[in-house]
Amino acid sequence: MRTTEDTTNVGQRQTGKPHNAVKSFAWQGLMVLLCVAMMYPLLWMLRSSVVPETEIFSSPSIIPSSVSFENYAKGWDANPPGFGRFLINSLIVCVGTVLGNLVSCTLAAYAFARLRFPFKGMLFAAMLMTVMIPSHATLIPQYIVFSEIGWVNTYLPLIIPKLLATDAFFIFLLVQFMRGIPNELTEAAEIDGCGHWRTFSRIILPLTTPALATTAVFTFIWTYEDFLAPLIYLADINAYTVPLGLRMFMNAMGNSSYGQLFAMSVVSLVPVFLIFVFFQRQLVEGVATTGLKG
């Protein structure tokens, strides 16, 4: 038998349904508009890459009047040795920096997270303080050092520092993740006779996969998009990376090839897009489990 209170609750739920539906529809509509606003520059660049150069700045529309891939063909071979060479150079630098960061930052993080040594807290705080030092502040001293040892115009200044655990952000990220691994696992490994290296390689490293994927993805993206460091250290056009290759389409005298620039910009996004698609799950898991927010 339905009581008066039950009837009132049912009435409130029925009255609230249309209100909730309108609120949900408005929220989803707002999210769609924000997505379109965020995607507009990318869609406009994609449209500009397939239209004649005279039509690029004539309309803010994202729908092309005609589609032509002439800008892609011309842009690929416009600046010898070609945009393909710039992509290969960027991938060489990215692979070196990713491997360097994975090896050095993982070992440093294991030391801070699991080992006991004098002044550990002080050294960890000093390491974190380096995150706040602008990279531009150390640019000139680094250039002088690398110039003295003859590394300028090579990839060594871009890769070798990564082998020395110089990215404190990734060390901190890995330390946070390793601290979340139960101590019982490492204590059981010690009882079974494992030393530090076997505990690190057999226990800690396999459980740190999400954080390692996050480190690899961010290192790849930040290195791939870096413009300043390659501009400082690379003088030979055959060693140019993608950002320097894109800069060559711009001309200070006003003869810039915007169509080819947008076409090659679209091509340059492909590696980053593929990396994000293949490692999206590990990236989200790594960021979530280390307590970091983008």
Side-chain angles (χ1 to χ4, degrees), residues 113-114 173-185 204 207-208 289-290:
R114 295 292 177 174
L173 183 145
L174 291 165
V175 167
Q176 293 296 100
F177 194 92
M178 289 180 184
R179 284 176 176 172
I181 299 175
N183 290 326
E184 289 78 5
L185 293 176
I204 299 297
L207 296 174
T208 320
T289 52
T290 51

Side-chain angles (χ1 to χ4, degrees), residues 44 47 51-61:
W44 187 83
R47 168 258 183 194
V51 299
E53 194 148 334
T54 54
E55 297 182 15
I56 291 178
F57 297 106
S58 62
S59 171
S61 173

Side-chain angles (χ1 to χ4, degrees), residues 3 33 53 77 90 130 135 145 181 196 221 225 262 274 284:
T3 63
L33 290 177
E53 194 148 334
D77 298 320
S90 282
T130 62
S135 59
V145 171
I181 299 175
H196 286 303
I221 293 175
E225 296 175 346
F262 292 140
L274 293 177
V284 173

Side-chain angles (χ1 to χ4, degrees), residues 88-98 155 158-159 223 234 241:
I88 294 175
N89 294 340
S90 282
L91 293 178
I92 291 173
V93 175
C94 288
V95 169
T97 55
V98 168
Y155 295 138
L158 307 177
I159 297 175
T223 304
L234 301 179
T241 56

Side-chain angles (χ1 to χ4, degrees), residues 21-290:
V22 172
K23 186 177 179 181
S24 176
F25 180 78
W27 178 252
Q28 293 178 8
L30 177 62
M31 292 296 102
V32 170
L33 290 177
L34 288 176
C35 289
V36 172
M38 293 178 65
M39 292 290 293
Y40 176 77
L42 180 61
L43 297 175
W44 187 83
M45 183 179 71
L46 186 61
R47 168 258 183 194
S48 300
S49 69
V50 295
V51 299
E53 194 148 334
T54 54
E55 297 182 15
I56 291 178
F57 297 106
S58 62
S59 171
S61 173
I62 60 174
I63 301 176
S65 58
S66 61
V67 176
S68 171
F69 294 98
E70 184 180 1
N71 290 328
Y72 287 86
K74 289 183 177 179
W76 187 262
D77 298 320
N79 300 309
F83 201 77
R85 179 66 184 179
F86 300 148
L87 279 172
I88 294 175
N89 294 340
S90 282
L91 293 178
I92 291 173
V93 175
C94 288
V95 169
T97 55
V98 168
L99 292 177
N101 261 354
L102 287 179
V103 174
S104 62
C105 292
T106 306
L107 291 172
Y110 177 75
F112 282 121
R114 295 292 177 174
L115 302 185
R116 296 178 181 175
F117 52 88
F119 309 111
K120 175 181 171 181
M122 187 183 300
L123 292 174
F124 187 68
M127 185 272 296
L128 288 181
M129 290 176 63
T130 62
V131 178
M132 294 178 281
I133 299 177
S135 59
H136 305 81
T138 59
L139 189 62
I140 294 178
Q142 284 183 349
Y143 182 84
I144 294 174
V145 171
F146 293 139
S147 178
E148 289 293 328
I149 58 180
W151 284 5
V152 173
N153 203 26
T154 70
Y155 295 138
L156 295 178
L158 307 177
I159 297 175
I160 296 301
K162 304 298 181 183
L163 293 170
L164 304 176
T166 54
D167 277 333
F169 171 78
F170 295 120
I171 298 175
F172 175 72
L173 183 145
L174 291 165
V175 167
Q176 293 296 100
F177 194 92
M178 289 180 184
R179 284 176 176 172
I181 299 175
N183 290 326
E184 289 78 5
L185 293 176
T186 54
E187 291 172 357
E190 292 176 3
I191 293 174
D192 290 340
C194 292
H196 286 303
W197 174 249
R198 292 191 66 184
T199 302
F200 169 75
S201 60
R202 300 294 181 87
I203 305 297
I204 299 297
L205 205 55
L207 296 174
T208 320
T209 303
L212 293 177
T214 304
T215 301
V217 170
F218 277 119
T219 301
F220 181 91
I221 293 175
W222 292 347
T223 304
Y224 187 77
E225 296 175 346
D226 188 18
F227 176 79
L228 183 59
L231 179 66
I232 296 296
Y233 293 113
L234 301 179
D236 186 0
I237 189 174
N238 293 306
Y240 275 14
T241 56
V242 167
L244 298 183
L246 291 175
R247 179 64 181 82
M248 295 180 68
F249 290 103
M250 302 295 293
N251 191 319
M253 303 302 293
N255 298 321
S256 303
S257 303
Y258 289 106
Q260 299 174 26
L261 171 64
F262 292 140
M264 292 303 101
S265 296
V266 173
V267 172
S268 68
L269 291 177
V270 173
V272 178
F273 179 75
L274 293 177
I275 288 290
F276 181 78
V277 169
F278 285 117
F279 295 98
Q280 181 182 11
R281 186 174 61 84
Q282 290 85 353
L283 179 63
V284 173
E285 185 179 354
V287 172
T289 52
T290 51

